[in-house]
Amino acid sequence: MSDDKVIIEQRENGPLVVKNLSDLRLADGTAAEAKPVMALCRCGGSQNKPFCDGTHKNIGFESAGSDVAAKDKVRAYEGKDVTVYYNMLLCSHAGECGRRAAAVFNPKQKPWIQPDNGTREDIHEVMQACPSGALRYSETGGRAELVANGDVCITVEKDGPYRVSNVPVEAGYWAQGQSEKKYVLCRCGKSGNKPFCDGTHRDEGWSDETGA
């Protein structure tokens, strides 16, 4: 491995250590000062978010996830022209799908994804905006594709996870359809799928202000 390769390493019961990243974007849209090595908080309790301040030691943070294999399932929602694929385990509940194409992605309808209620352009826009990679799509009968960009960056989502683009991460379990091109890392410390986000921050009302 090259010494200048961008990578994210896990510290057991500690932070995420990011090496050689030049593009770290904060929740307010500004760019953070990039350093060769940065320790990012993932216990949820740092007073210096997104950076680690050692709080994980005081609150007894545990970095191990749970057995999530049973939840790792890709569901296909087939339309006339487009099929959408969804893995709930990867979803961070960012809500980009409902904001951009509510007729297609609506939890009040059954099934909640109905590709025929929108255009290919609508669905492509959602795939591009989805930060977790939980959603992929294909021409019906074709191969599922992930829509990602070429940026090498980490973006801090307000009251949510780290949105990661094209950065390798050390992880023991990768879900079906998951890719290093686009994924989300837990920042609240509560995910059952650590180091990845599983949407628990939203379910438990975690925020940057309230902390762990």
Side-chain angles (χ1 to χ4, degrees), residues 89 91-93 191 197-204:
L89 178 62
C91 184
S92 63
H93 304 303
S191 172
C197 171
D198 66 358
T200 301
H201 62 279
R202 188 198 66 168
D203 298 336
E204 297 202 6

Side-chain angles (χ1 to χ4, degrees), residues 11-137:
R11 293 290 186 266
E12 185 175 4
N13 301 330
L16 297 165
V17 177
V18 183
K19 297 182 177 181
N20 303 311
L21 181 74
S22 60
D23 190 355
L24 176 62
R25 306 171 187 178
L26 302 178
D28 62 4
T30 61
E33 180 184 357
K35 298 180 180 180
V37 179
M38 295 179 285
L40 300 183
C41 173
R42 61 166 172 161
C43 73
S46 173
Q47 298 301 305
N48 188 34
K49 299 182 184 73
F51 303 105
C52 172
D53 67 355
T55 297
H56 57 275
K57 298 177 181 177
N58 300 327
I59 64 176
F61 170 71
E62 295 183 359
S63 58
S66 56
D67 184 1
V68 295
K71 300 178 181 179
D72 183 10
K73 184 175 182 179
V74 177
R75 300 182 184 274
Y77 299 84
E78 185 173 324
K80 179 181 177 181
D81 299 313
V82 174
T83 297
V84 174
Y85 303 87
Y86 173 66
N87 189 336
M88 183 174 64
L89 178 62
L90 301 180
C91 184
S92 63
H93 304 303
E96 297 290 353
C97 52
R99 281 192 287 271
R100 296 169 186 270
V104 178
F105 302 89
N106 184 349
K108 295 182 180 180
Q109 65 189 9
K110 293 186 178 181
W112 80 279
I113 299 176
Q114 297 189 18
D116 290 341
N117 288 351
T119 66
R120 285 188 180 89
E121 290 73 20
D122 293 334
I123 294 171
H124 182 86
E125 181 182 349
V126 167
M127 300 298 112
Q128 194 166 41
C130 173
S132 67
L135 291 169
R136 296 177 293 153
Y137 84 123

Side-chain angles (χ1 to χ4, degrees), residues 189-211:
K190 304 175 184 296
S191 172
N193 189 30
K194 298 184 188 78
F196 304 107
C197 171
D198 66 358
T200 301
H201 62 279
R202 188 198 66 168
D203 298 336
E204 297 202 6
W206 181 84
S207 73
D208 291 298
E209 287 73 29
T210 59

